[in-house]
Amino acid sequence: TGYNQQKILNGVTEFGTKWKLLTNFSGGLLAPIKIFSIIMHIQFIDTPKPIGNFANVRFSGKYAYISGQGAFDDSGKLITGKVGKDFSLEEAYDAARRVGVTILSVIKNDIGFEKVQKVVKILGLVNCTEDFLLHPKVINGCSDLFVEYFGKEKGTHARSAMGVYVLPNNIPVEI
């Protein structure tokens, strides 16, 4: 884990013979985003359909605003439950990281990674018990993913992390 763009760009020396696995069948190199995804074990998903009367992405000038997203398990099922009751801190961190994968999938499918100059801000909501106070540590799952994926310069962002009593469909994290 922790691979970033610079490590990928230095991949020939860092991965040696594994570099051959990162070529397509015609022998050419795969696109950098595809390489990042393989090394970081990111499985992009289809853009989730909105659960209400809203769009997943809205553009204003040079900014793209992405609606709140949830986490999906490896079978594509929406992850549900309350942090502090159904999820430990580590499991909630993983759920937030999975929300980050959902957001990256929205970017890939609906915006295009080539258009991303930087991540400006995220708002993280944690569906938790009233005695769970580690909301920022949960949302680090998404923040860490963005920094790993985009690099420190593009991926570091402003952020808010809040605990809430419930989220739509009882998801544990919405970002």
Side-chain angles (χ1 to χ4, degrees):
T1 64
Y3 288 103
N4 63 27
Q5 292 176 352
Q6 188 58 47
K7 288 180 182 176
I8 303 297
L9 296 174
N10 295 333
V12 174
T13 58
E14 195 167 320
F15 297 106
T17 58
K18 291 182 184 178
W19 188 253
K20 292 180 184 176
L21 298 174
L22 303 177
T23 60
N24 65 23
F25 292 111
S26 65
L29 290 177
L30 294 172
I33 295 302
K34 181 77 170 176
I35 294 171
F36 299 157
S37 304
I38 291 169
I39 292 173
M40 291 181 64
H41 306 288
I42 293 176
Q43 298 292 321
F44 292 115
I45 63 171
D46 292 334
T47 300
K49 291 184 179 182
I51 62 170
N53 188 15
F54 62 91
N56 272 314
V57 180
R58 291 290 296 188
F59 297 93
S60 180
K62 60 182 181 177
Y63 294 97
Y65 294 87
I66 299 174
S67 294
Q69 301 293 322
F72 295 87
D73 66 18
D74 292 337
S75 66
K77 184 180 173 204
L78 191 64
I79 296 172
T80 60
K82 188 173 283 290
V83 179
K85 177 183 172 196
D86 305 311
F87 294 97
S88 67
L89 172 60
E90 294 76 20
E91 292 166 326
Y93 175 96
D94 181 63
R97 189 172 180 91
R98 287 173 178 268
V99 176
V101 171
T102 303
I103 294 168
L104 289 176
S105 297
V106 171
I107 294 169
K108 176 184 178 285
N109 299 332
D110 300 340
I111 299 170
F113 286 113
E114 71 282 355
K115 294 180 182 174
V116 176
Q117 294 177 3
K118 64 184 162 188
V119 179
V120 177
K121 179 171 179 160
I122 66 171
L123 168 62
L125 305 173
V126 181
N127 172 12
C128 61
T129 58
E130 70 179 51
D131 60 339
F132 185 84
L133 304 174
L134 302 174
H135 319 117
K137 290 184 185 254
V138 170
I139 302 304
N140 279 346
C142 182
S143 294
D144 292 348
L145 176 66
F146 286 176
V147 171
E148 289 171 17
Y149 195 82
F150 290 113
K152 189 172 183 170
E153 183 65 30
K154 286 174 73 170
T156 301
H157 49 271
R159 183 182 88 180
S160 297
M162 296 183 287
V164 297
Y165 183 70
V166 69
L167 287 170
N169 296 319
N170 197 35
I171 57 176
V173 179
E174 179 176 340
I175 300 172

